[in-house]
Structure formats: C-alpha cells, structure tokens
Amino acid sequence: MEGNFKFHNPTKLYFGEDAMGHLAGELKNYGPTVMLSYGGGSIKRNGIYDAVIAALKASGKTVVEDPGVMPNPTYEKVLEGCKLVRDNHVDLILAVGGGSTIDYTKAVSASAWCNEDAWQKYWVNQQNPSCQTVPIGAVLTMVGTGSEMNGGSVITNRKEGFKRGKVFGPALYPNFAILNPRFTMTVPQYQMVAGFFDIMSHLMEQYFAGDRDCTTDYINEGLMRSLIHSSRIAAQNPQDYEARANIMWTATWALNTLLKCGKGGDWEVHQIGHAIGLVTDATHGMTLATVSLPYYRHVMHDGLHQFVRFAKNVWGVRPEGKSDEQVAMEGLKCLEDWMKEIGVVMHCHELGVSEDNLEQVADAVLILPVGYRTLTRPEVVEILRESL
C-alpha cells in the first residue's frame, strides 16, 4: 500500500427491487421545493417518472421540472438549471436517470449560488465550492459512471471547446441514491453495453497505476471478474435480474473512491474519450472502448508488472513458458475478445472520428502527468490514429 489516504463516503444507498419505497421517507428531510432533473423523456415511457412524481406528491412537495439533460451535459444547460434553482429557491435537486443527469445536478448544485465564473472556478481551476450548495438525491436508471456515490461531474463547454471533469468533495455527493436493478432493464442494448465498458474503464484506470502489493488491487480484480461474468450473461439476456444487479453494484464500487485508496491512478483514457465525445457527441462508454486497447498497448511496457498481474488474476492467463510481455499481451487480447463478445464499438471512426477531425480531437485532450507514462501530443495522435 502506498502513502496516506482518507476514505469518506456520505451517500446513503437503497438497493433492490423495493428501493423506491424509501424515496418518500428521504424526501421528508428536505424543504418544500424539489427540482426534478431528467433526460429526454424515457422515464415517462417506462413508468419511472410516474413513480417518482407519486412519491413527491405524497410528500407534499412543489415540483419544478427540469427536463432535457443530454447524454453529454453542457455548461449552457447547467446555467439553465442554475436559473431554475435561484428563481424557485429549490431545496433539493432530484436526479432521475444515469450518470450524465447526476453529473449535471452536481454542477448545478455547485454553480447556482456561485458569484464567480463557475466554469473557470470548478472545471478549469479545479477549486471547490465556497458558496451555498443545494442537496442532491438520485434515482438511478442506467449504470456505468458510479455518479450515484461520488463527487464527479463531467461537463461539456462547447463555447470553450472542452469537456472536463471536476471531482467535488463529499459535500457534493448525492445525499441518497435509489438503486433498483430493474430500472436499468429499460435501457437499450447499445447504452447498456456502453455502460458495462464504462465500468471496466473505471476499474482499469485505477488498476493500472503503481506496482506494489496493494489490497485495493485485490478488490479491484474481484470486481473486474464479477463484471466480466455478469456482463456476458446480461449481453445475452438483458432481463437477467441477478446479472443486472451484480453489474449495478459493481458500477457503484468501481468509482466511489474506494479503489483509489493506497494507489495513484491514470485517467488518460478518459481524457482521450472526453475529447472524442466533445467532437462527435458519441456515447461516453463507447469513446472509452475505442481508445483503451491502443492506449494500453502503448504504455504496457512501462507498467509491465501490473499488466502481467492483470492477465493472470483477471483473465486466468497461464504464464508457463511465456515471457512477461507475451503474458501481458495475452491479457490484453482477452480484454479485446470480451469487448467484442459484449458488443462495444471497437474503432473510433464508427463514432465519427476521421483523419479530417483527428487533430481537432487531439487538441481537446488534456494530458495528465499520471499513470505509467505521461503522453506527448504526437503520442495522443498516434493512439487516436491506431483506434481508427
């Protein structure tokens, strides 16, 4: 284990088929006005909206509706939400949806009463709120980001030409989150498997850092094996409750800060994926899928010990008679085969990246001094070109 760390996660989770029954009880802890934030309206078609509204009415709340949160939420939309909060003196923001909706509500919570330029303060300068924030609750309908139990908020600023993440402290974690695995069964197959890879990427971003014996890595390996097993089942039968429940629980633990304890992290795959998402507006999990293999092949020799461990402990690769490089490459081949099996996008040209806009994507990549190797811009271009 490396260094010193603090683990503090204040989010209260209700998990299972009866989880929604706890929403009304949680709502009693907040003032009379609730802003209901959601996406394009699928929750109205699948009945989740009606269940949430019933709980809000039973609790005597005044509901301010905030629909239209997009898959890659924009700063312009955040400013609209901030105005709703101020104009209606909102006491609680309730996010109903996936990670994008929950990320958005954190941004609104931190920005609504901020007297500074919130984009500069949070997403550029990476400062924490010094103003009043608004409590957040969540009803999760799509798994992947882990946003239901962390402080992460990824926002796209089209005017500035950047998509950036800000990890807020525990004050901006959802106060409570409702996790019913059956809600995730309403998500289309494409979005479902994109979420599966988003989870895997979160696990790998934290795993491929450091080479010391670390308890956190053993936990991570177990979560990866669980995800691989359950995703194979869910890809064939999306209505399998046990598989979907296991995946939902894995997604939460993949990014609730547990797996960074005693470790560093990488997150460069996410930076490249964010840039692809900025330029193409592609689904987040799929942007990560297209660049992960090129990136990990590029840095494998710099962290060879961990890639060998990944091959043996996650994929069951036998090392006898093989060099470390051969074992590591076999592990990445197992990852590739699994990705193809569950049906993720393997090449970024399928998302809209081409030689014509590749340099634009590269310009939007934030290069972090983390992981096994700090990339140069030419290396970013090389990885993007390989992912085409």
Side-chain angles (χ1 to χ4, degrees), residues 1-219:
M1 298 284 284
E2 296 179 359
N4 306 289
F5 60 84
K6 173 183 178 181
F7 178 76
H8 175 207
N9 198 309
T11 302
K12 184 190 303 182
L13 293 181
Y14 296 98
F15 189 99
E17 294 187 82
D18 298 329
M20 270 293 288
H22 296 280
L23 178 57
E26 281 296 326
L27 292 172
K28 293 176 182 177
N29 298 320
Y30 304 93
T33 304
V34 176
M35 186 166 86
L36 179 61
S37 298
Y38 56 95
S42 62
I43 64 169
K44 291 186 175 180
R45 296 189 294 274
N46 59 35
I48 296 173
Y49 173 88
D50 291 338
V52 171
I53 288 293
L56 288 164
K57 288 184 176 179
S59 302
K61 302 301 183 184
T62 298
V63 180
V64 177
E65 297 226 8
D66 179 27
V69 181
M70 56 286 292
N72 293 301
T74 65
Y75 187 59
E76 292 76 14
K77 175 62 178 172
V78 169
L79 295 178
E80 291 178 12
C82 290
K83 187 174 187 303
L84 284 174
V85 167
R86 292 192 300 269
D87 290 350
N88 296 278
H89 297 281
V90 168
D91 300 296
L92 172 73
I93 307 173
L94 183 62
V96 182
S100 293
T101 303
I102 305 172
D103 279 20
Y104 162 81
T105 60
K106 294 170 192 170
V108 172
S109 172
S111 305
W113 299 106
C114 179
N115 294 322
E116 304 170 60
D117 182 324
W119 175 258
Q120 287 294 320
K121 181 178 178 69
Y122 301 135
W123 289 275
V124 176
N125 297 328
Q126 295 289 305
Q127 297 175 6
N128 286 318
S130 53
C131 58
Q132 173 189 348
T133 59
V134 185
I136 302 164
V139 177
L140 189 64
T141 64
M142 177 181 172
V143 301
T145 69
S147 193
E148 66 276 6
M149 203 180 191
N150 66 38
S153 177
V154 179
I155 301 297
T156 297
N157 189 323
R158 299 208 177 280
K159 181 179 178 182
E160 298 291 332
F162 289 107
K163 181 177 180 180
R164 292 286 184 261
K166 163 63 181 169
V167 179
F168 292 103
L172 266 294
Y173 287 32
N175 288 14
F176 64 89
I178 307 296
L179 278 64
N180 182 344
R182 294 217 177 270
F183 288 178
T184 70
M185 296 179 188
T186 65
V187 174
Q189 184 98 359
Y190 184 89
Q191 300 295 333
M192 178 187 76
V193 298
F196 294 172
F197 194 81
D198 194 12
I199 302 165
M200 189 65 169
S201 186
H202 293 157
L203 295 168
M204 292 190 298
E205 294 271 38
Q206 296 167 97
Y207 185 79
F208 289 121
D211 57 6
R212 296 185 184 181
D213 187 46
C214 181
T215 297
T216 304
D217 281 340
Y218 292 95
I219 298 170

Side-chain angles (χ1 to χ4, degrees), residues 247-372:
I247 292 166
M248 189 178 220
W249 195 225
T250 298
T252 298
W253 285 97
L255 204 60
N256 68 357
T257 75
L258 174 69
L259 297 183
K260 74 174 187 177
C261 292
K263 288 201 59 136
D266 191 331
W267 302 109
E268 196 58 50
V269 167
H270 269 68
Q271 301 312 314
I272 302 173
H274 289 336
I276 294 173
L278 172 73
V279 173
T280 67
D281 205 32
T283 299
H284 173 62
M286 295 305 190
T287 69
L288 303 176
T290 63
V291 297
S292 287
L293 286 167
Y295 176 77
Y296 287 127
R297 288 172 183 144
H298 193 82
V299 303
M300 185 190 77
H301 289 93
D302 300 279
L304 189 58
H305 171 275
Q306 197 74 351
F307 282 91
V308 170
R309 176 173 175 165
F310 175 70
K312 294 192 295 186
N313 293 357
V314 176
W315 299 104
V317 173
R318 302 289 299 181
E320 292 84 357
K322 303 169 187 172
S323 67
D324 282 353
E325 181 178 354
Q326 288 172 321
V327 173
M329 286 299 294
E330 191 172 339
L332 291 181
K333 180 61 168 63
C334 290
L335 173 64
E336 180 180 8
D337 291 344
W338 169 74
M339 292 166 68
K340 291 177 179 178
E341 180 182 351
I342 65 171
V344 299
V345 175
M346 301 299 294
H347 302 285
C348 63
H349 73 83
E350 300 175 63
L351 304 177
V353 180
S354 67
E355 285 288 347
D356 291 337
N357 60 14
L358 189 145
E359 294 287 343
Q360 181 187 1
V361 174
D363 286 340
V365 174
L366 178 64
I367 297 176
L368 302 175
V370 293
Y372 294 118

